[in-house]
Amino acid sequence: MTETTTGQNTDEKRTALYDEHAALGASFTDFGGWQMPLKYGSELAEHRAVRESAGLFDLSHMGEVWATGPNAAAFLDYALVGKLSAIAVGKAKYSLICAEDGGIIDDLIVYRVAEQDFLVVPNAGNAATVAAELEARRRAFGAGAEPEGIALRDASAETSLIAVQGPNAEAILLSVAGSEDHEDIRTLKYYAAIEADIAGVPVLLARTGYTGEDGFELFVGNELAAQLWKALETAGEGHGLVPCGLASRDSLRLEAGMPLYGNELSRERSPFAAGLGGVVALKSKEGDFVGRAALAAKKDDGEGTTSGQRLVGLRGLGRRAARSHYAVMKDGKQVGEITSGQPSPTLGYPVALAYVDIAHSAVGTKLDADLRGKAEPFEVIELPFYKRQK
Amino acid sequence: MSKVQTGLRYSEEHEWLDTTAAPAKIGVSQVAADALGDVVYLDLPEAGSTVTAGETCGEIESTKSVSDLYSPVSGTVAEVNQDAIDNPALVNEDPYGAGWLFTVEVSEEGPLMTAEEYASKNGGEL
């Protein structure tokens, strides 16, 4: 056994909920420069709790950048690849921020909180990069040092984010929500958000998540985060809720076929190769946007459909899991690379995401993963691996 | 805090060795099992094969990663724990008991620590 626990790095950032995690006996890990809970006990038990009842997650390491003003919608149309001006107030949209060459800088969720107020939520490790990139694009968009009609504010440092995920998430939220919010919470659609009172704490409550289950994400000021966390923990006691760390978050999102930045998504990959071509609004947006020319060319080249590589789901036919960076082989020749892989706790067989050459990407194709010199059989299958019964 | 069982000796690579049993019994420490996370697959040396102290003799796969298993002794493998192969969670649940891995007719021991030395180095609780 060569693996040992990592030492404490005092330079690492802590969320407003760090003391809660420590009190719950979390083992911590570094993620995007943050000391985050990896697990509290067994990551498999945490995973199962989310599939069967509910899990409580601290996502405060994620970024929060507000884009506001009369030109905010037009600015986001220019800065991101999607048509954000088309989001209705109270709704959210999954989008990407790409470089000029079409490479993915980050994937993010954009909430339209009011007509002129957008909340952009990038990943933890990319939050500072995205905030800086948006600011640079704001200047380019306005063609001057002080563009009018669009203000950016990086609220990452003062905002916490807590997720409640799983089939019992709604019941837990309702048990601590103000009665005036009950009807709105019950009828809240997937990828929509409202302002609500949860256990006496004002939050932005979104029906979003990264687990493949029904669930909510709650944006709250740091000063009230611990109070909200404790209230949700208590409210969840009778509903099977358990605190969950990053280990179960990763296995849950993989089963749900959701990409992770740094694994499936990177500057070296385009949205088309990642299977996210539908997020790129080449047709529906009239104006220019950053990366448009490169993305249009990639689309014309058929990247991800007739040329290059494509992200696929693989099912292990044996017992052994393939891991990130393992080679994907066909008849002894490398045709791709695993980006994420694990034994699926819910399905009972190994699953993996991999970039493979288009020629070998069709569902049903038999491939091998090179497991440290041994060929382990896998098969391309439809994504997601796991889909909840509604 | 992970438990370090007294009366056993430990390798640098987190295996424990019990020479009060004959043949000697080998497993991994709870410190290691906790660091690995939930164990889901064991690749153990076969009965009758020879193992060499300090060299890899198998793999332990958890939900998140794969780690090499090193033999703390040289000798011939007498028995492997089929229960642990069938239910790898035993390594997490009872690393010093039902989660043992294999036994060896020892010809030579590698460098080993007492439980006290291992605990002070790896932060376990005696």
Side-chain angles (χ1 to χ4, degrees):
Chain A
M1 308 254 336
T2 44
E3 197 161 331
T4 52
T5 43
T6 50
Q8 192 88 356
N9 180 347
T10 49
D11 292 340
E12 284 170 333
K13 292 178 280 186
R14 296 176 169 188
T15 74
L17 296 169
Y18 181 91
D19 291 344
E20 305 306 318
H21 305 318
L24 288 165
S27 24
F28 289 91
T29 186
D30 171 85
F31 190 87
W34 292 81
Q35 277 283 102
M36 298 303 291
L38 178 67
K39 55 180 178 159
Y40 299 85
S42 153
E43 65 268 24
L44 286 175
E46 292 168 22
H47 182 111
R48 288 190 196 106
V50 174
R51 290 277 178 256
E52 289 161 16
S53 42
L56 183 65
F57 297 82
D58 177 14
L59 311 178
S60 303
H61 57 324
M62 307 272 290
E64 288 89 9
V65 181
W66 286 92
T68 56
N71 289 332
F75 163 73
L76 291 173
D77 280 352
Y78 165 75
L80 309 179
V81 303
K83 190 171 181 181
L84 296 312
S85 58
I87 309 176
V89 172
K91 294 285 168 61
K93 195 177 175 73
Y94 178 78
S95 196
L96 300 166
I97 181 167
C98 283
E100 284 287 0
D101 69 0
I104 301 168
I105 294 174
D106 200 10
D107 64 331
L108 33 75
I109 295 178
V110 181
Y111 298 88
R112 189 171 206 166
V113 176
E115 185 62 30
Q116 299 185 0
D117 296 343
F118 294 82
L119 176 61
V120 180
V121 182
N123 287 296
N126 292 328
T129 306
V130 170
E133 194 60 45
L134 286 176
E135 179 56 28
R137 291 178 187 194
R138 186 181 77 103
R139 287 162 192 268
F141 175 71
E146 285 306 322
E148 284 177 14
I150 160 75
L152 289 173
R153 188 169 71 83
D154 184 355
S156 305
E158 72 234 35
T159 309
S160 292
L161 180 57
I162 295 171
V164 183
Q165 298 281 302
N168 295 347
E170 184 184 283
I172 292 166
L173 263 291
L174 288 174
S175 74
V176 279
S179 57
E180 68 283 2
D181 292 325
H182 278 210
E183 188 55 24
D184 288 345
I185 292 171
R186 270 196 210 96
T187 55
L188 191 63
K189 293 266 194 335
Y190 188 51
Y191 265 70
I194 50 168
E195 284 171 5
D197 175 302
I198 301 296
V201 176
V203 303
L204 178 66
L205 177 72
R207 200 157 205 154
T208 45
Y210 194 50
T211 61
E213 296 300 328
D214 183 23
F216 298 84
E217 295 183 312
L218 293 78
F219 295 88
V220 59
N222 285 350
E223 67 287 355
L224 293 171
Q227 181 187 330
L228 179 62
W229 175 273
K230 283 179 203 152
L232 289 167
E233 225 192 316
T234 306
E237 273 170 14
H239 296 276
L241 176 113
V242 299
C244 295
L246 292 181
S248 56
R249 183 168 165 82
D250 194 43
S251 52
L252 288 158
R253 71 88 195 167
L254 177 58
E255 282 185 345
M258 295 172 171
L260 173 66
Y261 196 88
N263 287 37
E264 284 72 41
L265 309 180
S266 71
R267 299 245 183 172
E268 282 67 51
R269 301 289 184 180
S270 81
F272 303 108
L276 297 173
V279 174
V280 186
L282 283 170
K283 274 193 185 152
S284 61
K285 275 203 287 197
E286 284 177 5
D288 191 24
F289 63 88
V290 179
R292 174 166 210 143
L295 289 167
K298 284 176 191 291
K299 183 161 196 214
D300 290 345
D301 287 347
E303 188 172 280
T305 53
T306 57
S307 71
Q309 291 196 321
R310 180 183 180 82
L311 188 68
V312 299
L314 295 175
R315 172 197 173 136
L317 303 176
R319 276 183 70 184
R320 318 212 58 183
R323 308 287 175 170
S324 184
H325 301 304
Y326 286 10
V328 176
M329 316 291 288
K330 179 74 183 176
D331 302 328
K333 197 169 139 275
Q334 183 168 1
V335 296
E337 187 178 291
I338 303 286
T339 50
S340 297
Q342 278 199 16
S344 162
T346 310
L347 303 169
Y349 51 77
V351 295
L353 292 170
Y355 278 100
V356 299
D357 297 343
I358 284 295
H360 305 292
S361 65
V363 167
T365 308
K366 300 278 197 297
L367 298 167
D368 293 318
D370 182 351
L371 266 61
R372 306 170 294 284
K374 289 179 201 159
E376 184 80 4
F378 279 79
E379 181 183 8
V380 178
I381 65 167
E382 206 85 58
L383 288 171
F385 302 110
Y386 165 85
K387 199 169 189 182
R388 77 186 161 102
Q389 307 290 313
K390 295 196 181 173
Chain B
M1 187 75 99
S2 308
K3 193 181 159 217
V4 175
Q5 182 142 311
T6 53
L8 303 174
R9 284 180 295 154
Y10 294 83
S11 71
E12 190 80 19
E13 290 88 12
H14 307 283
E15 288 82 22
W16 56 257
L17 177 74
D18 181 2
T19 43
T20 63
K25 202 176 252 191
I26 290 162
V28 296
S29 75
Q30 192 174 55
V31 172
D34 288 352
L36 273 173
D38 291 320
V39 176
V40 293
Y41 188 82
L42 293 171
D43 181 22
L44 300 178
E46 284 175 24
S49 66
T50 55
V51 290
T52 307
E55 290 191 6
T56 63
C57 62
E59 289 178 340
I60 296 189
E61 183 153 3
S62 68
T63 50
K64 68 170 171 142
S65 67
V66 184
S67 294
D68 284 328
L69 177 68
Y70 292 82
S71 180
V73 294
S74 298
T76 304
V77 176
E79 192 187 354
V80 295
N81 185 358
Q82 190 60 42
D83 289 347
I85 292 172
D86 294 340
N87 179 18
L90 290 174
V91 175
N92 298 103
E93 289 162 10
D94 193 6
Y96 304 112
W100 65 278
L101 299 180
F102 59 101
T103 61
V104 175
E105 299 284 359
V106 179
S107 60
E108 192 180 352
E109 291 184 358
L112 294 163
M113 291 173 266
T114 64
E116 291 74 15
E117 287 164 345
Y118 179 79
S120 73
K121 192 174 170 193
N122 294 287
E125 190 176 58
L126 290 165

